[in-house]
Amino acid sequence: MRSRLVFIAILLFASAFEPAVRPEQRSAILLSWDGAGGGRVRANLAAGKLPHLARLVGEGALVDVEVTGHGTDTKPGHAQMLTGYDPSLTGVYSNGRFRPIPRGYSIFERLHQTFGKNGLATIMVTGKSGNLGSQSPEGSNGEPFSLARSSITVWDGDQIRPARLVGEHALRHLGRYAPKGRFFMFVHFADVDVAGHTFGEDSTAYDLALGECDAWLGKILAALATAGASERTLVYVTADHGFDKRAKRHTAATHIFLATNDPRVARGGEQRDIAPTILSALGVDLTKLTPPLPGRVLAK
Ligand SMILES: [Zn+2]
């Protein structure tokens, strides 16, 4: 009886990722803080203003990531983050030069190819339309996710909305999918980017937006614990691009970051390394992917 009570207590209070859970049983959440530069994230973390990110990093790592091979804007940043491929394969070079990402290349589709549609639910929630959109109006090129969309279990995008709404939707999806089985959820927060364009990279508003993203990270971690899914869920936080220092633009903003509770992550790298890091953590055999991913897992 006593051991059973102890067991229940451990289940209730266990809210950290358990590395012994096999990759084929894990879930993952990828959060994109649009326009969050690595330098400002580290400064706010050091100032104690990102407590939930600090807790996540305490279980895993915070590493420096460089955006390489494409413009530092939203479309190519997310296309590479969510596929691992360079623009020569995705066709997404910049916000102005793009085409739909070819079928089958996204993390969502790779997971379904490996584990089946019923083996894992995929969810995409965004705070911007267009640059992360799925629309394909007649006569237009088609937005980056217009071909991937039909393969994603829950498409919750094509809307411009603040962290409060994006976060609430993410919690709703978690409440539905996290208690049951495996899932991969991508959540995009636009607020840091919006604050940077409006008030500048060195503004209080930019730091406050980072703080709001951190508060939502806290709520997401709490929702995982409530669902009993903390031990089997990896959480990754990154950005599509950084921000030019003391400016309201991000034309040469290559410095970003990856924060995670994934204990394997042990070195910095490039944005193209994020997708293989997540796919391998979830049990996808990278050697079987065609075309081969150019990036490397961010492990030692
Ligand atoms: Zn922007």
Side-chain angles (χ1 to χ4, degrees):
M1 183 64 187
R2 190 194 155 95
S3 68
R4 183 149 175 263
L5 282 175
V6 169
F7 179 69
I8 289 168
I10 288 169
L11 275 186
L12 281 175
F13 294 105
S15 59
F17 176 69
E18 172 49 60
V21 174
R22 289 171 40 236
E24 296 76 18
Q25 296 174 332
R26 296 173 183 170
S27 295
I29 297 173
L30 171 60
L31 306 179
S32 172
W33 294 358
D34 195 316
R40 294 298 318 153
V41 166
R42 282 193 182 272
N44 277 273
L45 199 60
K49 291 178 181 171
L50 305 174
H52 303 292
L53 196 72
R55 185 183 135 208
L56 191 74
V57 168
E59 291 178 37
L62 171 66
V63 296
D64 295 322
V65 173
E66 278 292 300
V67 177
T68 56
H70 61 78
T72 51
D73 45 15
T74 299
K75 264 197 189 80
H78 285 107
Q80 188 165 56
M81 182 198 304
L82 289 166
T83 65
Y85 292 113
D86 294 339
S88 55
L89 283 171
T90 62
V92 184
Y93 290 85
S94 69
N95 278 358
R97 184 185 172 202
F98 65 94
R99 60 176 164 84
I101 297 167
R103 268 183 218 287
Y105 282 11
S106 70
I107 292 178
F108 312 98
E109 292 158 288
R110 291 304 190 193
L111 290 169
H112 282 157
Q113 288 160 17
T114 307
F115 302 108
K117 276 242 169 193
N118 297 324
L120 184 141
T122 56
I123 305 155
M124 179 157 170
V125 192
T126 65
K128 278 182 180 174
S129 53
N131 289 337
L132 287 110
S134 73
Q135 300 301 298
S136 192
E138 207 172 324
S140 85
N141 219 355
E143 291 169 353
F145 292 92
S146 52
L147 297 178
R149 174 181 175 164
S150 62
S151 303
I152 299 173
T153 314
V154 177
W155 172 264
D156 188 352
D158 296 316
Q159 293 178 66
I160 301 168
R161 47 193 170 174
R164 181 177 56 78
L165 289 176
V166 167
E168 280 174 7
H169 279 236
L171 293 187
R172 195 181 309 159
H173 300 313
L174 272 183
R176 179 166 172 207
Y177 289 97
K180 293 194 292 190
R182 301 185 75 196
F183 66 94
F184 170 73
M185 181 168 75
F186 168 72
V187 189
H188 165 259
F189 292 94
D191 307 63
V192 177
D193 186 68
V194 171
H197 286 300
T198 312
F199 301 103
E201 182 259 1
D202 52 350
S203 66
T204 306
Y206 186 91
D207 290 345
L208 286 175
L210 283 173
E212 186 168 14
C213 287
D214 185 70
W216 279 105
L217 169 63
K219 288 178 191 175
I220 287 168
L221 293 174
L224 280 178
T226 302
S230 303
E231 288 182 306
R232 52 191 154 86
T233 306
L234 290 161
V235 179
Y236 300 88
V237 185
T238 186
D240 50 347
H241 55 76
F243 238 85
D244 293 358
K245 287 239 169 294
R246 294 176 291 282
K248 295 181 179 174
R249 59 178 185 273
H250 42 78
T251 48
T254 58
H255 306 320
I256 56 167
F257 67 99
L258 178 68
T260 180
N261 60 359
D262 182 343
R264 294 174 317 153
V265 171
R267 63 173 183 86
E270 297 170 79
Q271 191 169 45
R272 61 167 65 87
D273 300 329
I274 291 170
T277 299
I278 295 172
L279 287 169
S280 67
L282 293 178
V284 174
D285 182 352
L286 300 177
T287 65
K288 295 207 170 123
L289 301 185
T290 50
L293 287 173
R296 297 182 303 153
V297 176
L298 292 170
K300 273 201 184 104

